[in-house]
Amino acid sequence: MSTNTESQTHSLPSRERCPQASGLESVAPLVHSGEETPDPIPTTTKGTIPAWINGSFLRNGPGKFEFGEDRYDHWFDGMALMHRFHICEGSVTYSSRFLRSDSYNLNSEKNRIVVSEFGTVAMPDPCKNFFARFLSRFQIPQPTDNANVNFVKYKGDYYVSTETNFMRRVDPQTLETKEKVDWSQYVAVSSATAHPHYDREGATYNMGNSYSRDGFFYTIIRIPPAEKAAAKEDSADLSGAEVICSIPAAESRKPSYYHSFVMSENYIVFVEQPIKLNVLKFMLYKIMGQSFQKILSWEPQYGTIFHLVDRRTGKESKVKYRTAPMFTLHQINAYEDDGFLVMDMCCGDDGVVIGDFTLENLRRESGDDIDKFYNSLCRNLPRRYVLPLNVDEQTPLDQNLVMLPNCKATAKKADSGEVYMTHEELHSDELLQYGGLEFPQINYDKYNGRPYRYFYACGFGHVFADSLLKMDVHTKELKVWRYPGLFPSEPVFVASPDAAEEDDGVVLSVIITPSKEKSTFLLILDANTFTELGRAEVPVNIPYGTHGVFNEMG
């Protein structure tokens, strides 16, 4: 392909670069309510599960979509259902529990939806008189504690998290729900992400929002490691949490939505993308009877800004790094290299997709109905952006500052002092036939924030992931696990105890089948060859989930 033709191809929206689907099967069974299995049950093993794997694969995600006659509207709204695959000496047991959040308990008590979620507004109590129902629309809605996105870890304790100011501590062995934790009781934030980062000293970093008379701020939070000498109490401990940097929103009345952030050895980067939250509508959304998703909008005229912050001092760089409008949910990795910060992430051309995952859309019938929906979706592809770290008044204008070998990303300083960047496509055209990718994972413990070679992800040749991928970022070569009718979860890498190479270990993924009842299984792949080692079959229907972690046992 000529350079000119390649440039034209890459200027097309990602949905036009990927093949159009035809004859897709319905995935409606993947977004129906599941049942909990609180007591561990045995699984049926096929193949070989390495005896050295010792721990629990913990998964989270929406698992209950109705109370009484009330139905949720959006996939993100479902009540959190936690899963545990416990692996020990080559055998696996399975258990699951619904998170007993305040939202779950109140909805269960009233047998209707009484707590609003991302895409569903709770209606006033029908037992109240008209005047009381009218006045209830003017009450400030309380954020949900339905923490259905991820398992996260602070000071050795596990929590389940969403994107409000509330988390829930949980027991990783029994999946028992413990106390609710309010971030605002520790630091001045009104929310926090479900994707913190961990450094090698044991500290945890996260990002949240805060607002005051001075405007809207994106806030970087640091939670110190647990004190080694202190006796561990059975209670939540976020003591010592501190705000290390507050970044003012470029548009104070239209701050950006974000799901995660970038961290390297020495820097944190916040991606201010043009998915905007209308503050006025946010203040009025309950009165207007609109869900939270209705106050988000894709506004590409604002472009994308990368805010660079020193992780240790909390000082934000005076240099503003800008790029074309793009949308990102998940970062792959970031590392420093000879005066540059290399950032790899999954990116799309627009952010409308967040609102598209309504249950009505996801439950479309096989054939033309689901094909039309899938073909309308943005496809996310891996990109590499490179930030030059040593930009000052002497930096020349209008010339590419990126001097890394074999790197196609660019960065040019403009008259304004801002640096404008273009990305490198971190894939070959082979990826397009798998519909792009999402849910990236790496060998995090050893390679996060450092130069790396491999990442693992889900391919999206369907509305939900229908393949597992291993990408070599040096060669852009793919290894693929894909079988018709099988829908894998986010792949999680577990290193072998004597690992000598980056990909010495296994990849875990939960596979679900919409066309076959109770045929879920835990898949174990050799991370190096990306071939199946074994599987553990579970006679349970599991709804499609979001994120998970591996909790290694001593």
Side-chain angles (χ1 to χ4, degrees):
M1 181 181 290
S2 70
T3 303
N4 187 49
T5 305
E6 183 177 358
S7 176
Q8 291 175 354
T9 301
H10 290 181
S11 67
L12 292 172
S14 57
R15 72 166 62 87
E16 295 182 24
R17 295 173 58 196
C18 294
Q20 295 286 287
S22 177
L24 295 177
E25 68 173 297
S26 173
V27 291
L30 306 188
V31 286
H32 283 299
S33 295
E35 296 181 357
E36 63 180 2
T37 308
D39 297 321
I41 61 173
T43 64
T44 301
T45 300
K46 292 185 176 179
T48 302
I49 297 175
W52 58 261
I53 306 176
N54 184 23
S56 297
F57 186 30
L58 304 174
R59 294 271 306 153
N60 197 358
K64 183 174 176 59
F65 300 98
E66 66 282 315
F67 285 92
E69 298 299 315
D70 289 359
R71 302 288 185 268
Y72 288 114
D73 295 326
H74 200 282
W75 178 51
F76 295 173
D77 302 339
M79 294 291 99
L81 180 57
M82 304 173 289
H83 310 268
R84 177 178 183 252
F85 292 84
H86 183 61
I87 310 170
C88 183
E89 296 181 351
S91 65
V92 181
T93 60
Y94 169 79
S95 58
S96 64
R97 285 181 186 265
F98 283 109
L99 179 71
R100 263 52 179 192
S101 61
D102 288 351
S103 298
Y104 180 94
N105 291 334
L106 286 169
N107 293 338
S108 298
E109 178 186 341
K110 300 293 185 181
N111 198 32
R112 65 183 183 88
I113 296 171
V114 297
V115 180
S116 294
E117 299 290 341
F118 173 80
T120 305
V121 177
M123 292 295 102
D125 188 344
C127 296
K128 292 182 178 180
N129 62 40
F130 173 80
F131 186 64
R133 293 200 304 271
F134 175 74
L135 287 180
S136 71
R137 286 192 176 274
F138 294 88
Q139 297 172 351
I140 298 175
Q142 291 298 308
T144 182
D145 65 337
N146 175 34
N148 64 2
V149 177
N150 204 359
F151 278 86
V152 297
K153 203 172 183 180
Y154 296 98
K155 295 190 175 185
D157 284 335
Y158 276 97
Y159 300 78
V160 284
S161 179
T162 180
E163 295 184 331
T164 69
N165 56 307
F166 294 125
M167 298 188 297
R168 278 281 184 170
R169 194 167 69 95
V170 295
D171 185 323
Q173 307 303 317
T174 65
L175 301 181
E176 177 189 357
T177 302
K178 294 182 175 291
E179 69 268 41
K180 181 167 73 172
V181 178
D182 184 350
W183 274 104
S184 66
Q185 299 301 307
Y186 295 89
V187 286
V189 296
S190 59
S191 65
T193 81
H195 289 287
H197 275 292
Y198 310 95
D199 70 16
R200 289 175 176 81
E201 290 73 48
T204 308
Y205 295 79
N206 207 340
M207 287 199 65
N209 298 325
S210 63
Y211 48 88
S212 65
R213 293 178 181 178
D214 297 325
F216 192 102
F217 296 87
Y218 311 110
T219 305
I220 301 174
I221 310 159
R222 180 184 183 273
I223 300 87
E227 296 181 14
K228 294 182 180 179
K232 186 74 177 76
E233 296 183 5
D234 186 23
S235 61
D237 179 15
L238 297 184
S239 61
E242 60 176 337
V243 172
I244 63 170
C245 184
S246 292
I247 303 167
E251 303 289 333
S252 61
R253 294 186 180 181
K254 286 189 175 182
S256 294
Y257 168 79
Y258 58 98
H259 187 69
S260 61
F261 61 99
V262 178
M263 190 172 90
S264 69
E265 289 272 28
N266 294 296
Y267 296 96
I268 286 173
V269 178
F270 170 65
V271 183
E272 191 171 13
Q273 58 190 359
I275 304 178
K276 295 297 183 178
L277 184 155
N278 187 306
V279 173
L280 179 59
K281 288 184 179 180
F282 176 70
M283 303 299 291
L284 299 174
Y285 81 92
K286 187 176 183 183
I287 299 172
M288 297 166 66
Q290 292 185 339
S291 62
F292 184 81
Q293 66 150 321
K294 298 294 186 184
I295 64 175
L296 294 175
S297 59
W298 173 246
E299 302 193 33
Q301 69 271 21
Y302 291 110
T304 304
I305 305 173
F306 295 107
H307 298 272
L308 178 69
V309 176
D310 187 299
R311 182 162 71 85
R312 291 175 172 80
T313 67
K315 184 178 180 181
E316 182 184 2
S317 171
K318 294 180 180 179
V319 179
K320 284 292 180 289
Y321 300 86
R322 293 185 177 271
T323 193
M326 62 85 164
F327 156 68
T328 182
L329 283 174
H330 300 115
Q331 321 305 315
I332 302 170
N333 199 7
Y335 60 90
E336 296 144 45
D337 184 358
D338 196 23
F340 298 92
L341 178 60
V342 178
M343 304 187 304
D344 298 341
M345 58 189 76
C346 298
C347 301
D349 300 312
D350 68 64
V352 178
V353 68
I354 289 180
D356 288 337
F357 275 65
T358 64
L359 291 171
E360 180 182 10
N361 281 333
L362 296 177
R363 290 171 178 166
R364 293 189 183 201
E365 295 182 357
S366 300
D368 291 346
D369 205 22
I370 192 70
D371 291 348
K372 183 178 179 181
F373 172 56
Y374 171 75
N375 290 329
S376 72
L377 295 174
C378 170
R379 310 287 197 276
N380 283 6
L381 299 168
R383 295 178 180 176
R384 171 165 289 179
Y385 292 91
V386 179
L387 277 62
L389 297 173
N390 303 312
V391 177
D392 55 26
E393 293 179 356
Q394 278 67 51
T395 301
L397 303 179
D398 297 321
Q399 71 179 52
N400 184 17
L401 304 176
V402 179
M403 307 304 291
L404 297 177
N406 303 315
C407 182
K408 296 179 180 178
T410 71
K412 295 181 180 181
K413 184 183 175 185
D415 291 336
S416 62
E418 296 177 325
V419 175
Y420 288 84
M421 303 187 303
T422 65
H423 65 270
E424 175 183 347
E425 300 276 3
L426 203 60
H427 63 90
S428 68
D429 285 348
E430 181 188 6
L431 175 62
L432 302 179
Q433 66 181 288
Y434 299 104
L437 58 78
E438 255 295 347
F439 294 142
Q441 289 283 323
I442 62 170
N443 182 343
Y444 189 95
D445 290 345
K446 294 290 180 65
Y447 288 89
N448 186 59
R450 294 175 174 173
Y452 75 114
R453 181 163 185 172
Y454 304 109
F455 73 88
Y456 312 90
C458 287
F460 276 79
H462 204 306
V463 173
F464 286 130
D466 67 343
S467 64
L468 292 169
L469 308 173
K470 178 185 179 180
M471 176 71 78
D472 183 329
V473 299
H474 291 180
T475 65
K476 300 181 182 178
E477 293 176 332
L478 277 178
K479 290 182 179 178
V480 181
W481 185 93
R482 187 187 201 185
Y483 293 92
L486 302 185
F487 290 78
S489 72
E490 169 189 64
V492 170
F493 176 84
V494 182
S496 61
D498 55 352
E501 301 295 334
E502 180 181 341
D503 58 353
D504 281 350
V506 297
V507 168
L508 306 179
S509 178
V510 177
I511 313 299
I512 49 183
T513 56
S515 59
K516 192 175 180 182
E517 279 283 302
K518 297 184 177 180
S519 56
T520 301
F521 61 91
L522 173 65
L523 174 69
I524 298 94
L525 296 178
D526 182 308
N528 178 272
T529 63
F530 221 56
T531 55
E532 180 174 342
L533 295 172
R535 62 178 65 181
E537 298 176 343
V538 189
V540 172
N541 290 329
I542 296 180
Y544 196 82
T546 47
H547 297 289
V549 298
F550 184 74
N551 177 29
E552 187 174 352
M553 306 296 291

